[in-house]
Amino acid sequence: MKKIFATILFTFICAIIITAQTRFIKTKTQFENKETVYQIIHNNYIVGEWWPVTALDFFSRKSSLEFFDSSLEDLLKSSKINALVPDGMTSAVSSGYTIEGQYLIDGVRYNQDQPFPEYGMIILEDYGRSIRFAHRNDYPDNGIETLFRYYQGKESVSILFLPVVKRGDRSLQNNTSVHRALVRRDTYDGEQLGVVVLDEPMSYIDLLSVFQGLDYRSNGGATTTHIYFLDGGATWGEVGRKSKEGKITTFGSRNRSAVTNYLVLY
């Protein structure tokens, strides 16, 4: 009887593990650089898309005001980029919307009167072709000031902050909603970077489950190392991508007056 019960229990547990899997399924959409867009399938349901990243750029109202009067469709049509997504660090203040913390765009330092937030960092070098994930807490106060001063004036470098969902072994297991995310993974083929565009917002816990399912499916050969929060929802949620054939596709909606900054995917 014990053997039968143990067998049933083992089968039940295995069934749970097997169904709690995530797969990337190739779509017919490719970017101009031949990278393929994937559907994210979790527990047999499509939950969103994975947009691969080979290079990143970053711009704001302060650095490129002219872009913010245009639609995403016009921005994608008029430039050689793959996609646009909001960056995750816009906050509402009494008189409008601002970017939290200091940041660097093409060597120019902005919000210098603001503190460095205790968030994740993205350091973009070589015009966004070198992408380094870090954290404010990796640097003492004088260390991060030295970092910004060192890169100030270097046109090939941008630095921005993003809230962390997962970083190494640390993760935030809560019900905060996330709609878009920037993700780094170690795989058989090396580093894998991408933006997750979810069909519907989900909790941090559920998003972590999606990538745990992907890691499990990889049989230990791949690991999700970082998940950084990007803005979403009705206020900041509109994102867009362009296929190699020039077809523009947008997802979500935005309050155009609220969005202050975008990540550019190449």
Side-chain angles (χ1 to χ4, degrees):
M1 186 68 181
K2 287 183 179 179
K3 280 188 176 181
I4 294 173
F5 176 77
T7 302
I8 293 172
L9 181 61
F10 178 77
T11 303
F12 176 73
I13 292 172
C14 286
I16 291 174
I17 292 173
I18 290 169
T19 56
Q21 285 191 355
T22 304
R23 294 175 291 149
F24 282 0
I25 303 296
K26 274 189 176 183
T27 70
K28 293 181 179 179
T29 301
Q30 280 190 325
F31 292 138
E32 200 168 17
N33 61 3
K34 305 290 179 66
E35 292 285 351
T36 301
V37 172
Y38 289 80
Q39 285 183 332
I40 305 171
I41 313 292
H42 182 62
N43 291 347
N44 298 318
Y45 290 96
I46 299 171
V47 297
E49 290 189 346
W50 171 269
W51 296 356
V53 172
T54 56
L56 280 177
D57 200 357
F58 174 60
F59 63 85
S60 72
R61 282 186 182 275
K62 289 186 177 181
S63 69
S64 310
L65 179 61
E66 67 276 11
F67 290 113
F68 287 84
D69 292 327
S70 303
S71 67
L72 290 194
E73 291 90 339
D74 289 340
L75 287 174
L76 288 162
K77 284 177 184 176
S78 62
S79 53
K80 292 186 176 182
I81 59 179
N82 293 332
L84 284 166
V85 297
D87 92 320
M89 284 296 287
T90 301
S91 66
V93 294
S94 58
S95 59
Y97 297 91
T98 62
I99 302 178
E100 295 180 59
Q102 296 193 39
Y103 58 98
L104 198 76
I105 295 180
D106 299 332
V108 179
R109 193 168 171 179
Y110 296 90
N111 288 4
Q112 199 161 344
D113 59 335
Q114 292 195 30
F116 298 104
E118 292 187 6
Y119 287 128
M121 295 172 60
I122 303 294
I123 302 172
L124 306 173
E125 299 179 74
D126 190 21
Y127 299 98
R129 289 186 286 265
S130 171
I131 304 168
R132 180 153 53 99
F133 284 67
H135 195 280
R136 162 67 179 91
N137 293 339
D138 293 338
Y139 301 89
D141 289 344
N142 61 336
I144 195 165
E145 176 64 30
T146 299
L147 178 79
F148 268 71
R149 284 185 180 177
Y150 176 76
Y151 284 121
Q152 198 167 338
K154 297 189 178 183
E155 292 184 5
S156 63
V157 179
S158 297
I159 304 175
L160 63 147
F161 291 89
L162 293 172
V164 174
V165 179
K166 175 180 171 59
R167 178 173 174 258
D169 294 333
R170 300 179 180 182
S171 60
L172 294 178
Q173 301 277 345
N174 61 41
N175 289 315
T176 302
S177 291
V178 58
H179 203 188
R180 325 295 188 196
L182 178 65
V183 176
R184 181 192 179 280
R185 306 185 71 242
D186 285 327
T187 74
Y188 295 106
D189 299 321
E191 183 181 59
Q192 181 186 57
L193 299 178
V195 165
V196 173
V197 177
L198 295 171
D199 293 342
E200 299 291 338
M202 64 174 62
S203 69
Y204 281 15
I205 292 173
D206 289 339
L207 184 61
L208 288 166
S209 177
V210 167
F211 280 93
Q212 286 165 356
L214 186 64
D215 292 347
Y216 170 80
R217 185 177 179 83
S218 301
N219 295 321
T223 305
T224 302
T225 62
H226 295 76
I227 302 176
Y228 282 1
F229 176 97
L230 301 177
D231 277 319
T235 303
W236 297 287
E238 188 179 28
V239 298
R241 58 170 167 77
K242 179 173 64 179
S243 71
K244 67 179 182 181
E245 295 82 15
K247 180 182 177 182
I248 309 295
T249 306
T250 61
F251 302 84
S253 60
R254 65 169 172 159
N255 175 347
R256 191 179 292 185
S257 67
V259 178
T260 60
N261 38 306
Y262 274 102
L263 280 177
V264 179
L265 281 60
Y266 294 99

